Amino acid sequence: FVCPHTAVGLVGSERPTEAEASVVLATAHAAKFPETVTAAVGLAPPVPAHAEPFLKGEEVFDTVPGEIAAVRAYIAGRTRAR
């Protein structure tokens, strides 16, 4: 299972518009959207025990400008250098 937003990203990555590799960042666990996932695939996503507290907590997110340079900088700033 993947969340609805990640599913859209996966479909988009299958249709590249540039000669570059695709990266799809999962935005949430499928259990965060049980009604949507169930409607799409006919099964309710299981909720892992370790995820239950997150589903009850406050939503936290970052906003990044819709420009490739900004997305690259955001990812680079939050990952280990290789």
Side-chain angles (χ1 to χ4, degrees):
F1 291 102
V2 297
C3 80
H5 304 101
T6 304
V8 171
L10 289 169
V11 170
S13 73
E14 294 173 355
R15 301 181 202 156
T17 57
E18 298 180 25
E20 296 183 1
S22 294
V23 175
V24 177
L25 304 175
T27 58
H29 191 282
K32 184 176 178 185
F33 305 95
E35 297 86 9
T36 303
V37 173
T38 301
V41 300
L43 298 170
V47 179
H50 68 273
E52 289 178 12
F54 300 112
L55 296 176
K56 297 175 183 168
E58 179 184 345
E59 185 176 27
V60 178
F61 60 91
D62 293 326
T63 302
V64 180
E67 302 164 356
I68 192 68
V71 174
R72 285 180 175 156
Y74 179 86
I75 294 168
R78 286 157 182 77
T79 57
R80 292 183 283 162
R82 300 205 184 255

